[in-house]
Amino acid sequence: MVKDFMQDPQDMRRQGDGDRAASAPAYEQAKGDPEWEAEFENMFGKAANPFRMYVRQYLADRSIGYTTIGDGRNTMGDSRYAAADAFETTDAEGGAEVRRAMPEA
């Protein structure tokens, strides 16, 4: 069992900012590479066009996946901010909402 519980709300907010910042590369990857897609036929020739439908499906699924990752990181950042606010509120109210508090605590 933990003897001392020390949580710094400002540290949680910093971590939340880090999570939100980490979502930007995922959103950037979700955009794909339009130049590469435009040059597909020039790179691989007309014979590769039947394969192109599989590439398009892969790129669409990839975009959805990276967007989901970015959304998850943003949600994690929001959760860290909400937890920091909850810690501060509980502390301000004298810990009245802390469950199973012992009389000597």
Side-chain angles (χ1 to χ4, degrees):
M1 180 155 181
V2 176
K3 289 188 174 204
D4 294 325
F5 179 74
M6 297 180 65
Q7 183 62 47
D8 181 16
Q10 284 305 98
D11 185 48
M12 292 183 80
R13 289 186 181 99
R14 278 191 294 278
Q15 290 174 352
D17 290 339
D19 287 327
R20 290 176 178 165
S23 68
Y27 288 133
E28 192 64 33
Q29 286 287 341
K31 292 179 185 175
D33 188 1
E35 291 178 17
W36 183 86
E37 294 173 43
E39 294 295 319
F40 186 84
E41 191 172 301
N42 290 337
M43 289 187 290
F44 302 111
K46 292 184 185 283
N49 277 336
F51 179 69
R52 194 175 198 167
M53 68 177 189
Y54 297 112
V55 171
R56 285 186 179 148
Q57 184 61 45
Y58 168 77
L59 293 174
D61 292 344
R62 179 179 181 265
S63 177
I64 291 169
Y66 274 113
T67 301
T68 303
I69 290 169
D71 292 346
R73 294 307 294 258
N74 272 330
T75 301
M76 196 180 311
D78 294 343
S79 296
R80 289 185 193 268
Y81 265 80
D85 292 342
F87 277 122
E88 285 181 339
T89 301
T90 301
D91 188 39
E93 293 175 358
E97 295 181 20
V98 177
R99 295 182 186 176
R100 299 182 187 142
M102 299 182 339
E104 61 270 9

